[in-house]
Amino acid sequence: MDWGTDLWDQCDHIDKHTQSGLDLVERYIKFVKERTEIEQSYAKQLRSLSKKYAKRGSKEEQDCKFSNHASFQEILNELNDYAGQRELIAENMMTGICVELTKYLQDIKQERKTHLSDIKKAQQNLESSFKHLESTKKRFAKEWAEAEKATQQAEKTESDLNATKLDVEKAKQHAHARTHTAEECRSDYAAQLQKYNKEQNFFYYTEIPQIFNKMQDMDERRIRRLANGYCQFSDIEKKVLPIISKCLEGISAAGMKIDEKQDSILFIEQHKSGFERPADVEFEDYSHGIKPATSDSSLNPPKVRAKLWPFSKKHKTSHAEKQMPPPAEDFSHLPPEQRKKRLQSKIDDINKDLQREQDQSEALEKMKGVYEHNPQMGDPSSLEPQISETAQNIGRLKGELAKYEAWLSEAVGGEESSNAINNNTQHGVVAAEQCQNIYTEFEDEFDDIETPVGQCTALYSFEGNSEGTISITEGELLSVMEEDKGDGWMRVLRASGEEGYIPSSYVKLTP
């Protein structure tokens, strides 16, 4: 079954049907465009959501060490990747469906227009031929009527007794001429009729069926192309499903790898103070009377039990109270455990910097040696500023390393010695309020006082801008606390009590 055979007389319906098919393609293109807009908006909102809840800042980075915090950040990252796949779906739908179908629609519209134009031309040709046939037919009828009238008039003239022979002959000639003209018109009509019938047969059995079949083929191709577009709507999303599944699996994996016990242990390690729990409060018996004022207790009054800091409530502080001293360089403002961790971390950082500077120093020395053997490659003296700067950095870092290692040794020793102290007093001092290590009050009992190993005089002024160094002025008398260990630096003590490292070449030892 085909349109040309079964729908030969349904041109109007074919016109409407094919137009309806094109309208459907346009509707589908519009539908997919709106779908892409939804996907793009959805992806944009997902990205904004991920960005909104992503942690930023040092405090939040500290929280991310916990597995439940870190897993949430991984979920946000996976969600951001998921949003990227939604954007990819929108992009592929726009290029693979909307753009391609729009181009195809323009082509098929032009093809349909061509077919309709061919139908219109064929109809106009047939109508023109039919009009010519009607005109020939009318002329034949007219001429035949005139011939019959002339024949009747000739017969009447011949039977008229009063008519002359000339009149009769003239009437017969007229009748014969009319009859001849009518016969010619009859022949023209017959020929035109035969021609029209042939053209009509071609129109209804060949020309129109061929055009209708072409339009049927066009419409079926349009349907198949639209069907492919329908499938693409699904296939485009199916192609990204594996990646979307990986994103969702990543979210599940982030939840599965949370370790609540490890988070608790990490929290303990971060905030463990190292203090001992307060001991029992001793009974003070006043029934024996008040001790004399000259007793030892007047010189060493009993220590008041400090506030239990773990259970103290926060209170509003005045502006003066908010002006807290800056944290101590040796981290003595921290509890013992936290102080040790911070000192060890600082030592590790210094070791990394020191190793980097030493590697750079070795590289510069090797380069200097190459320049000395091959002057054409460079001037060895050009490296002296860098070598000198690197040497100073190495000396400064070694000084800092020794300083922090000493503080770490002090912290470890202080902790061991603190176990022998009455923990009723050792735990009661709040670090933020005292800005001193909790064991400061016992330092005189357990720490040996460091004595100078010599004296020196400053030859030049030195600005101690680096961490661990101090400033000195020319001619100043200094106490040597630690001699030069070969790195070009020594530790000295000023008369003001300030202690730090200075270049050994800036002073002269006093005999």
Side-chain angles (χ1 to χ4, degrees):
M1 298 177 68
D2 55 65
W3 291 7
T5 302
D6 300 299
L7 300 177
W8 63 272
D9 57 345
Q10 301 296 324
C11 182
D12 290 342
H13 287 91
I14 289 175
D15 187 357
K16 293 178 181 178
H17 178 74
T18 53
Q19 182 60 49
S20 175
L22 298 183
D23 292 342
L24 178 60
V25 176
E26 288 184 343
R27 285 181 61 203
Y28 182 64
I29 292 173
K30 185 177 179 182
F31 161 75
V32 176
K33 282 183 178 179
E34 292 188 9
R35 163 71 188 274
T36 60
E37 290 172 0
I38 291 173
E39 289 288 354
Q40 289 170 346
S41 176
Y42 178 45
K44 183 179 180 181
Q45 292 180 34
L46 287 179
R47 287 191 183 279
S48 298
L49 184 66
S50 299
K51 185 177 180 180
K52 177 181 178 182
Y53 284 90
K55 286 193 172 185
R56 292 180 293 273
S58 57
K59 181 182 181 301
E60 293 172 337
E61 290 177 359
Q62 185 75 11
D63 288 340
C64 284
K65 293 181 180 179
F66 297 100
S67 63
N68 57 106
H69 287 265
S71 291
F72 183 55
Q73 296 306 307
E74 291 183 17
I75 290 173
L76 294 177
N77 293 335
E78 294 291 352
L79 188 62
N80 197 55
D81 294 341
Y82 176 84
Q85 298 308 309
R86 306 314 304 187
E87 290 174 340
L88 184 61
I89 290 173
E91 181 181 351
N92 290 341
M93 282 188 174
M94 180 59 71
T95 56
I97 298 179
C98 296
V99 175
E100 293 297 326
L101 269 184
T102 300
K103 182 180 178 182
Y104 177 77
L105 182 62
Q106 297 301 321
D107 294 339
I108 203 171
K109 277 184 176 181
Q110 185 60 42
E111 183 180 352
R112 177 178 177 274
K113 183 179 179 180
T114 301
H115 292 324
L116 293 177
S117 177
D118 292 341
I119 293 173
K120 187 175 182 180
K121 287 180 181 178
Q123 289 175 339
Q124 289 176 347
N125 292 335
L126 186 61
E127 289 174 0
S128 177
S129 179
F130 182 73
K131 287 180 181 179
H132 188 59
L133 174 64
E134 286 293 313
S135 176
T136 306
K137 180 181 176 182
K138 288 179 181 179
R139 185 184 174 193
F140 167 62
K142 180 182 178 182
E143 292 295 333
W144 190 256
E146 290 292 333
E148 286 185 345
K149 183 178 179 181
T151 300
Q152 291 175 0
Q153 184 65 33
E155 291 177 354
K156 184 179 179 181
T157 302
E158 185 178 4
S159 61
D160 188 2
L161 297 175
N162 296 323
T164 63
K165 187 177 180 180
L166 182 60
D167 292 335
V168 173
E169 188 64 29
K170 186 178 181 181
K172 285 183 177 180
Q173 288 179 358
H174 180 68
H176 180 71
R178 283 292 180 181
T179 301
H180 181 70
T181 302
E183 287 294 337
E184 288 181 350
C185 289
R186 183 175 181 276
S187 297
D188 290 343
Y189 171 62
Q192 187 61 37
L193 179 63
Q194 185 179 5
K195 179 184 176 184
Y196 174 76
N197 286 334
K198 184 178 180 181
E199 289 177 353
Q200 181 179 249
N201 186 278
F202 176 75
F203 178 83
Y204 285 111
Y205 286 91
T206 303
E207 189 173 21
I208 288 300
Q210 286 179 353
I211 297 175
F212 281 4
N213 286 340
K214 288 180 180 179
M215 294 187 73
Q216 179 183 356
D217 177 67
M218 176 199 72
D219 194 62
E220 289 176 355
R221 281 187 282 110
R222 189 266 311 166
I223 294 173
R224 175 46 50 198
R225 182 66 183 84
L226 187 59
N228 292 337
Y230 291 165
C231 294
Q232 280 184 285
F233 190 78
S234 171
D235 294 340
I236 287 173
E237 188 162 356
K238 285 181 180 178
K239 288 181 180 179
V240 300
L241 280 181
I243 302 178
I244 289 178
S245 297
K246 287 184 179 179
C247 293
L248 298 177
E249 290 172 1
I251 292 175
S252 298
M256 294 297 294
K257 69 181 184 181
I258 292 176
D259 188 342
E260 62 276 11
K261 295 296 184 183
Q262 186 62 36
D263 283 0
S264 295
I265 293 173
L266 179 59
F267 178 69
I268 293 172
E269 291 296 326
Q270 284 185 353
H271 301 285
K272 181 180 178 182
S273 67
F275 293 146
E276 294 291 338
R277 292 180 177 84
D280 294 340
V281 178
E282 296 180 359
F283 176 77
E284 298 182 20
D285 192 354
Y286 291 94
S287 60
H288 297 293
I290 301 175
K291 295 181 179 181
T294 57
S295 66
D296 294 340
S297 61
S298 62
L299 300 176
N300 300 298
K303 295 175 182 177
V304 179
R305 180 179 176 85
K307 181 167 56 177
L308 298 180
W309 63 270
F311 308 103
S312 62
K313 295 183 178 179
K314 293 183 178 180
H315 60 280
K316 294 184 179 180
T317 58
S318 64
H319 179 71
E321 291 173 329
K322 291 181 180 179
Q323 301 297 324
M324 300 297 291
E329 184 184 5
D330 61 354
F331 303 115
S332 59
H333 61 286
L334 297 176
E337 287 292 331
Q338 300 304 315
R339 183 190 182 196
K340 285 195 300 179
K341 291 176 65 176
R342 291 293 296 275
L343 287 171
Q344 186 60 55
S345 175
K346 187 70 176 179
I347 290 172
D348 293 340
D349 292 341
I350 294 174
N351 280 324
K352 290 179 182 178
D353 294 341
L354 182 60
Q355 184 62 44
R356 184 169 61 249
E357 293 292 337
Q358 288 174 342
D359 293 342
Q360 184 176 356
S361 177
E362 292 178 3
L364 290 171
E365 290 294 341
K366 289 181 180 178
M367 189 178 296
K368 181 179 178 181
V370 172
Y371 287 176
E372 289 174 348
H373 289 83
N374 300 284
Q376 68 275 11
M377 297 184 66
D379 183 10
S381 61
S382 64
L383 300 176
E384 288 299 333
Q386 298 181 47
I387 294 175
S388 177
E389 181 182 357
T390 305
Q392 289 182 7
N393 291 339
I394 291 175
R396 175 180 56 80
L397 290 172
K398 285 184 177 180
E400 290 184 7
L401 181 62
K403 177 174 61 175
Y404 280 98
E405 285 178 344
W407 282 336
L408 178 61
S409 176
E410 173 192 341
V412 174
E415 180 184 7
E416 292 174 353
S417 62
S418 66
N419 293 331
I421 303 173
N422 188 300
N423 53 16
N424 184 44
T425 59
Q426 78 178 49
H427 185 62
V429 181
V430 180
E433 294 175 350
Q434 300 294 332
C435 292
Q436 296 290 336
N437 188 280
I438 192 170
Y439 304 109
T440 302
E441 60 183 304
F442 303 109
E443 285 179 355
D444 293 339
E445 300 178 26
F446 298 101
D447 293 341
D448 294 330
I449 298 175
E450 189 175 6
T451 58
V453 295
Q455 301 289 327
C456 64
T457 304
L459 299 176
Y460 315 101
S461 296
F462 174 71
E463 296 292 336
N465 296 325
S466 303
E467 185 178 0
T469 62
I470 60 172
S471 300
I472 59 175
T473 58
E474 182 180 353
E476 183 178 0
L477 184 63
L478 306 167
S479 298
V480 180
M481 307 304 293
E482 183 180 328
E483 295 181 343
D484 185 354
K485 297 181 179 180
D487 56 10
W489 294 82
M490 65 170 54
R491 183 160 58 92
V492 298
L493 176 67
R494 301 182 68 182
S496 62
E498 186 178 8
E499 184 178 345
Y501 287 85
I502 61 170
S504 303
S505 59
Y506 277 56
V507 299
K508 179 182 180 181
L509 294 177
T510 303

